[in-house]
């Protein structure tokens, strides 16, 4: 082998170079090393300002103002829900144990754990009218007093004005922002690696948080952003896809249980690539995700209706999901489906 390499090395290297030049195969996407999970639990305390409303399938809005004059404006799109749901907002008075400094502006959104199939938006407008320096946060309701687990930071959207800050939400629990000022911007104590959440969706949110928060602040101030932003976003999104999303696709495509457990989260990853301006970069991966979810959603419909439907609400949700994914409303029409003996609502 060594002799062959010595005698034929230059021609073979040249041939490999020429093949690479004419190949249409793109180079592999970059990745990052994920930090070890170090989940953090915080104590969050509710304040006055509770509001609640029934949100239909067509979507809706919910608005409240806290004692300090901060306005919270929640918008749920017409593609987010599988069934109508009563949603509530309760402002926070304080959080204990969060490794972030800044002015706290947060809410508890309920029902806790509600999954969305399109991003809702939460706009936070402080009474001061100053939201240039802002980073979001989220955590999961433990249903144990004031305890919220897997506290992590969340990136704000890069749209809107300096008077408010907006966040995209794919699930409900604890949400909000820490705001800073020109003289004293928000600050993270230590490193993000010191409180890495255990859930992969939360990990993605935290990995993007400070990166995009600083980019937003720079844009609002008319300053230059990070010249390596696109490369960093690609590496983060690709790492989460390879490590977390791709292994779930067989389960999602092959079982209704996989759809119920994972579909909203992997579709959230797709939406995140688009919101981050990386939709074209991850078009192939997005197609894999969407194909898997469509296959699994179709199984859910078959299970809900064949040979008859036992639960009307389950059939409606299966129909709704398939239509949201681009399926024909005629093919997934609940009308005319046969009810099983003893079927329920």
């Amino acid at each position: 082998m060594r002799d062959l390499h010595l005698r034929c090395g230059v021609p073979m290297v040249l041939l490999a170079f020429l093949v690479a030049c004419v190949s249409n195969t793109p180079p592999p996407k970059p990745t990052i090393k994920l930090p070890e999970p170090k989940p953090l639990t915080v104590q969050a305390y509710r304040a006055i300002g509770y509001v609640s409303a029934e949100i239909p399938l067509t979507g809706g809005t919910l608005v409240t103002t806290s004692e300090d004059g901060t306005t919270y404006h929640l918008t749920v799109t017409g593609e987010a829900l599988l069934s109508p749901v009563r949603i509530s907002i309760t402002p926070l008075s304080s959080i204990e144990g969060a490794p972030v400094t800044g002015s706290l502006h947060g809410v508890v959104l309920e029902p806790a754990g509600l999954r969305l199939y399109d991003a809702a938006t939460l706009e936070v407008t402080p009474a001061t009218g100053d939201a240039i320096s802002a980073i979001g946060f989220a955590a999961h309701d433990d249903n144990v007093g004031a305890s919220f687990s897997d506290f992590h930071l969340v990136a704000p959207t890069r749209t809107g004005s300096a008077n408010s800050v907006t966040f995209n939400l794919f699930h409900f629990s604890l949400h909000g922002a820490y705001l800073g000022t020109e003289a004293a911007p928000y600050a993270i104590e230590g490193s993000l690696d010191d409180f890495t959440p255990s859930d992969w969706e939360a990990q993605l949110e935290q990995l993007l948080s400070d990166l995009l928060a600083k980019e937003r602040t720079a844009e609002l101030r008319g300053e230059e952003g990070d010249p390596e932003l696109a490369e960093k976003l690609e590496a983060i999104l690709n790492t989460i896809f390879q490590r977390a999303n791709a292994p779930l696709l067989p389960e999602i495509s092959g079982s209704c249980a996989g759809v119920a457990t994972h579909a909203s989260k992997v579709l959230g990853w797709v939406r995140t690539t688009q919101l981050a301006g990386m939709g074209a970069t991850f078009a192939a991966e997005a197609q894999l995700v969407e194909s898997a979810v469509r296959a699994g959603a179709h199984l859910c419909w078959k299970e809900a209706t064949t040979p008859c439907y036992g639960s009307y609400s389950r059939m409606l949700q299966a129909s709704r999901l398939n239509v949201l994914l681009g399926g024909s409303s005629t093919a997934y029409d609940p009308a005319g489906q046969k009810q099983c003996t003893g079927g329920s609502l």
Side-chain angles (χ1 to χ4, degrees):
M1 288 293 294
R2 179 175 298 178
D3 182 61
L4 177 65
H5 172 74
L6 290 175
R7 288 188 285 109
C8 304
V10 173
M12 291 184 71
V13 169
L14 179 59
L15 177 61
F17 175 77
L18 292 174
V19 170
C21 287
V22 300
S23 174
N24 293 322
T25 303
K29 293 182 175 69
T31 59
I32 62 169
K33 181 180 179 180
L34 292 176
E36 290 296 320
K38 297 178 182 178
L40 173 67
T41 296
V42 299
Q43 305 297 308
Y45 300 95
R46 292 167 169 83
I48 64 171
Y50 170 90
V51 294
S52 176
E54 186 80 10
I55 304 299
L57 289 179
T58 52
T61 61
L62 201 55
V63 181
T64 190
T65 301
S66 63
E67 290 181 280
D68 65 2
T70 301
T71 299
Y72 300 94
H73 191 124
L74 176 70
T75 301
V76 179
T77 73
E79 292 76 41
L81 300 173
L82 296 186
S83 59
V85 62
R86 176 160 289 276
I87 288 174
S88 68
I89 304 178
T90 307
L92 296 177
S93 61
S94 63
I95 292 181
E96 295 179 358
V100 190
T101 59
S103 176
L104 169 68
H105 304 267
V107 294
V108 177
L109 300 181
E110 295 172 304
L114 175 68
R115 296 297 318 186
L116 304 174
Y117 286 83
D118 186 36
T121 57
L122 177 66
E123 182 181 18
V124 180
T125 307
T128 61
D130 182 4
I132 292 180
S133 174
I135 194 166
F137 65 84
H140 302 299
D141 192 343
D142 293 335
N143 293 312
V144 181
S147 178
F148 289 81
S149 60
D150 245 11
F151 176 90
H152 58 280
L153 299 181
V154 177
T157 66
R158 290 160 60 186
T159 58
S161 69
N163 298 323
S164 66
V165 58
T166 300
F167 303 94
N168 293 304
L169 311 179
F170 296 98
H171 60 88
F172 279 7
S173 192
L174 186 74
H175 300 278
Y178 282 93
L179 307 183
T181 64
E182 184 78 26
Y186 77 82
I188 301 168
E189 299 173 4
S191 166
L192 290 175
D193 294 355
D194 296 337
F195 56 103
T196 299
S198 57
D199 176 72
W200 70 258
E201 184 180 36
Q203 290 178 11
L204 173 60
E205 291 175 340
Q206 178 146 302
L207 288 166
L208 296 174
S209 62
D210 194 42
L211 187 66
L212 292 179
K214 289 178 177 176
E215 194 71 15
R216 171 184 176 271
T217 298
E219 290 173 354
L220 289 173
R221 290 175 176 169
E223 301 171 352
E224 290 292 328
D226 185 346
E228 299 178 346
L229 178 64
E231 182 179 350
K232 292 176 181 177
L233 291 175
E234 183 179 11
I236 291 170
L237 290 163
N238 183 48
T239 299
I240 294 298
F241 177 79
Q242 299 295 340
R243 292 282 298 274
N245 284 18
L248 296 175
L249 299 187
E251 181 182 355
I252 293 171
S253 64
S255 72
C256 191
V259 172
T261 304
H262 305 299
S264 172
K265 295 178 72 171
V266 295
L267 289 173
W269 175 89
V270 173
R271 187 71 175 121
T272 298
T273 66
Q274 297 165 348
L275 294 169
M278 303 294 289
T281 302
F282 288 96
E285 291 86 347
Q287 186 174 12
L288 291 175
V289 170
E290 292 166 353
S291 295
V293 175
R294 288 193 186 98
H298 181 70
L299 286 178
C300 291
W301 170 255
K302 298 296 289 185
E303 288 184 14
T305 59
T306 304
C308 53
Y309 70 84
S311 168
Y312 189 67
S313 61
R314 181 188 178 197
M315 177 177 63
L316 286 181
Q317 290 193 20
S319 169
R320 169 73 170 170
L321 177 57
N322 278 278
V323 172
L324 286 178
L325 295 170
S328 166
S329 58
T330 301
Y332 298 102
D333 187 358
Q337 298 296 321
K338 181 181 178 183
Q339 183 178 10
C340 302
T341 302
S344 66
L345 295 178

